Amino acid sequence: MILLNDFFQIVESGVDLKSGQLTFKVRLNASHVIYKAHFPGMPITPGVCIIQMVTECLQQHLEEMLQLEYVKNVKFLNTIVPDGNKEVEISFSKILKSEDGKYHVQSTVCDASTTYAKISVIYD
């Protein structure tokens, strides 16, 4: 299921020239149907949706489709509550393409004051 432009929108993206870190600022759609089910009256962003947002942002940058092959490590540190026009930043500290064509990726999802998730995955 594609979430981009429905569950979330990319507000801006860029690469920090000093660190080489790729970042995306995204805005969550608090009225999306997923939040009505997860959880009624107290919505939080499902972990699988967070991973999918990371995937879709990276696909936008690479301009190619990716298949999640392996989740090496995921730490959900805080819940993302989609209040109002909630914006979070998805940053990529590592994007390495191995000889077999797989992408080894490390990313963080945060805002100005809170880290929500740290994710390490492999895409094919």
Side-chain angles (χ1 to χ4, degrees):
M1 172 185 221
I2 303 298
L3 300 180
L4 183 59
N5 298 324
D6 186 24
F7 183 76
F8 78 102
Q9 293 180 339
I10 296 173
V11 176
E12 63 183 67
S13 65
V15 177
D16 181 295
L17 296 178
K18 280 186 177 179
S19 67
Q21 186 168 316
L22 172 66
T23 60
F24 288 84
K25 184 183 285 187
V26 301
R27 182 175 299 130
L28 302 175
N29 176 1
S31 64
H32 195 275
V33 68
I34 288 174
Y35 289 121
K36 290 179 177 45
H38 198 266
F39 296 99
M42 183 144 175
I44 62 170
T45 305
V48 68
C49 292
I50 295 170
I51 294 170
Q52 183 65 21
M53 288 190 309
V54 168
T55 302
E56 292 182 29
C57 285
L58 186 57
Q59 286 178 160
Q60 286 287 314
H61 175 71
L62 297 173
E63 297 180 342
E64 65 181 277
M65 294 300 294
L66 300 172
Q67 178 68 40
L68 181 62
E69 181 176 291
Y70 182 70
V71 177
K72 291 174 69 174
N73 191 14
V74 175
K75 293 181 182 176
F76 295 111
L77 304 169
N78 291 286
T79 57
I80 303 175
V81 178
D83 51 351
N85 290 324
K86 178 71 173 183
E87 290 184 357
V88 296
E89 182 177 282
I90 298 171
S91 60
F92 296 87
S93 57
K94 174 181 163 185
I95 304 170
L96 296 175
K97 189 170 186 178
S98 60
E99 290 181 13
D100 59 1
K102 297 177 193 237
Y103 288 98
H104 298 255
V105 177
Q106 290 178 348
S107 61
T108 303
V109 181
C110 62
D111 62 20
S113 62
T114 307
T115 299
Y116 298 104
K118 293 183 177 187
I119 301 169
S120 179
V121 294
I122 298 173
Y123 295 106
D124 195 13

